[in-house]
Amino acid sequence: MTPALPSRPPDSVTTAGAGLFADALRSQAVPVSEVDWQPPMPGTADDLAEVAGDPLRRDANALAVERVLGVQAMLVGLAPAADLLDLERGHFLHAGPPLTWDRASGPMRGALMGAAAFEGIVEDPEDAARLFASGALTFEPCHHRGAVGPMAGVVSPSMWMYVLEDPASERRTFCSLNEGLGKVLRYGAYSAEVLTRLGWMRDVLGPLLAEAVDASGPVDATGILTQMLQMGDEAHNRNRAGTLMLLRDLSPAMARSRRSADDVAEALTFIGGNDHFFLNIAMPACKLALDAARGIDGSTMVVAMSRNGTDFGIQVAGTGDAWFTGPAQVADGLYLGDFGPADANPDIGDSAITETAGIGGFSMAAAPAIVRFVGGTVPDALATTRRMHEITLAENPRWQIPVLDFRGAPTGIDVSLVCRTGILPQINTGMAGKVAGTGQVGAGLVTPPAEIFPAALSALAARARGRRSPSP
């Protein structure tokens, strides 16, 4: 009888879950690769199976990705919101999903009250609260009119708006001008200095920029975003390179305008001193791309993430205009001056449209200089971008990240991948004071409330079941 030979040890073993098995193998000199794994989000197993088996899903998501990546966003002009959005006196736009006055947060209320004073409806912003509460003054989401707004995102009829256009489809999106940092309307501040600055933006800055774009021709916002990621911006909390490139493109026409030398100098100084100025062009550029994927039956791609200071909402390509909402979270980050966590309002703003498109927090690896501003580290930034690739459908070949060997930005958040992995989208954000009139109190990192993704998945699964078993 031939004696049994010792079994041959494996060359390597891949393990998942608890580390006991991996530790036991290592103690026996077996090479081990540990893989992160966790069960799907609670209660999602049936819906995940239904969506995974939806015969429309693969082609629908491929079409959604193709449409998003095919958009070119061009800045083609500026004009008042009343002209572009048919916005009537007494009606305002705001960031995030739909909201009522009684549920509005401090910074949202402050921005709406300040906007009412800016429009001359009330002399004292405090007097506007009663008019909003009674319904005499009304408001609706920016997204419902093809627009986006940072932080409170409040838009009033006389505010000037950027116009972004995709030349192939002639679709358009819109955003107001960036006011800078600190005490500004978008953070809920409404003091006299805030209203005076808004008046200068209406009377001088907006018309001057409109003349410059008309004279110089359309500005390729998508191209600038491409260069920004190569130059250390992630285009949400850091827009320094983008702002300077915009100045490069528009300053000759601004200098040749018929405006006074003082007006031009003041505008150039204001833009050059505001590193966030390009954000309000990056945002509608991202919305323009993502809107191309709306209304694709079977697609599980997220086309909007947004917050109103009370709720965090998402919209999905395959579920029409439905919002899936949960409570907005307070960001974790760094605070200005003497402010602390007790002063911060829950997350607010349409600016998460940048993460939805694959930049901002999703491209943190491109912007190591931003990590200290939001309370992170460089290794955190690299890990974040790699982690976001696990919940997205594609990489954007236009938006490449040098430090990751020019890998494309993670693009197209997949609801089913979020539910399957439990990985939530990472967002870079500013923090508004929770008391109306305070302004900015800090900046940091935040994620959406987890429950909104199973809710969206459930709606997608219901649609898939409906197609499989149509009603008689």
Side-chain angles (χ1 to χ4, degrees):
M1 181 174 178
T2 304
L5 297 174
S7 60
R8 182 179 171 222
D11 294 332
S12 66
V13 174
T14 300
T15 67
L20 290 175
F21 183 45
D23 293 342
L25 290 169
R26 285 198 188 94
S27 68
Q28 299 173 60
V30 176
V32 176
S33 298
E34 289 189 79
V35 177
D36 289 335
W37 180 85
Q38 63 182 33
M41 287 181 171
T44 62
D46 291 343
D47 289 336
L48 278 170
E50 185 68 44
V51 170
D54 184 355
L56 296 184
R57 182 178 63 90
R58 176 174 297 183
D59 290 344
N61 279 340
L63 177 61
V65 168
E66 178 184 346
R67 288 185 179 178
V68 168
L69 298 183
V71 169
Q72 183 180 18
M74 305 292 292
L75 172 62
V76 297
L78 297 91
D83 300 336
L84 294 170
L85 305 175
D86 195 25
L87 202 59
E88 298 177 349
R89 181 178 171 83
H91 189 61
F92 303 86
L93 304 183
H94 68 82
L99 185 68
T100 54
W101 179 257
D102 60 304
R103 298 185 67 246
S105 63
M108 181 62 77
R109 289 188 176 202
L112 287 166
M113 291 156 58
F118 174 62
E119 292 296 325
I121 297 173
V122 293
E123 186 171 340
D124 184 342
E126 299 290 342
D127 294 336
R130 176 180 52 80
L131 299 177
F132 281 111
S134 69
L137 300 179
T138 54
F139 49 92
E140 66 174 314
C142 292
H143 272 288
H144 291 187
R145 300 249 181 153
V148 279
M151 302 309 290
V154 168
V155 176
S156 67
S158 63
M159 290 180 181
W160 282 69
M161 308 284 286
Y162 293 113
V163 182
L164 278 291
E165 181 178 290
D166 175 28
S169 65
E170 298 185 346
R171 290 182 305 101
R172 290 184 163 188
T173 53
F174 312 93
C175 189
S176 56
L177 311 184
N178 194 283
E179 312 161 71
L181 296 176
K183 284 191 174 296
V184 289
L185 190 80
R186 72 178 190 279
Y187 279 98
Y190 51 73
S191 61
E193 66 176 292
V194 174
L195 301 183
T196 298
R197 185 188 308 114
L198 288 174
W200 173 77
M201 293 171 69
R202 175 194 59 205
D203 299 335
V204 177
L205 183 62
L208 175 58
L209 288 173
E211 292 173 20
V213 174
D214 286 344
S216 64
V219 176
D220 185 352
T222 301
I224 290 180
L225 284 166
T226 298
Q227 296 175 67
M228 289 169 68
L229 294 184
Q230 311 276 324
M231 298 168 69
D233 284 353
E234 41 72 87
H236 187 170
N237 254 326
R238 183 179 168 91
N239 287 270
R240 180 168 294 180
T243 298
L244 293 175
M245 282 187 277
L246 181 70
L247 269 179
R248 174 201 63 188
D249 289 350
L250 295 183
S251 56
M254 294 169 69
R256 294 191 189 99
S257 74
R258 288 174 292 181
R259 300 274 166 175
S260 72
D262 285 345
D263 282 350
V264 173
E266 189 175 10
L268 292 172
T269 301
F270 178 79
I271 297 171
N274 176 7
D275 288 343
H276 285 69
F277 197 76
F278 189 78
L279 171 62
N280 292 39
I281 295 175
M283 289 173 55
C286 291
K287 178 172 174 59
L288 192 63
L290 291 159
D291 278 359
R294 287 180 177 268
I296 301 177
D297 203 14
S299 174
T300 55
M301 178 191 287
V302 176
V303 294
M305 293 195 295
S306 188
R307 316 84 97 197
N308 57 33
T310 303
D311 305 314
F312 191 119
I314 61 170
Q315 293 180 303
V316 181
T319 54
D321 293 329
W323 286 98
F324 304 95
T325 63
Q329 314 292 302
V330 175
D332 181 17
L334 300 179
Y335 291 87
L336 304 175
D338 295 332
F339 292 119
D343 302 306
N345 194 77
D347 197 21
I348 185 170
D350 287 332
S351 55
I353 196 73
T354 55
E355 277 81 7
T356 318
I359 50 179
F362 277 47
S363 291
M364 278 278 282
I370 195 63
V371 295
R372 287 192 173 183
F373 183 60
V374 295
T377 66
V378 171
D380 290 341
L382 298 176
T384 296
T385 297
R386 291 191 176 106
R387 191 166 64 252
M388 294 303 100
H389 279 290
E390 297 186 40
I391 58 171
T392 47
L393 294 164
E395 297 179 9
N396 191 325
R398 284 175 171 155
W399 297 344
Q400 298 178 344
I401 301 173
V403 74
L404 294 182
D405 200 19
F406 293 94
R407 190 176 183 184
T411 301
I413 301 167
D414 185 343
V415 167
S416 60
L417 287 176
V418 173
C419 291
R420 200 169 74 191
T421 64
I423 298 173
L424 295 173
Q426 182 70 68
I427 298 167
N428 291 349
T429 189
M431 287 186 273
K434 66 182 180 183
V435 176
T438 301
Q440 185 178 12
V441 300
L445 304 173
V446 71
T447 58
E451 62 265 32
I452 60 179
F453 293 95
L457 182 74
S458 178
L460 289 162
R463 284 175 175 251
R465 292 188 190 99
R467 287 194 297 273
R468 184 159 46 84
S469 305
S471 301

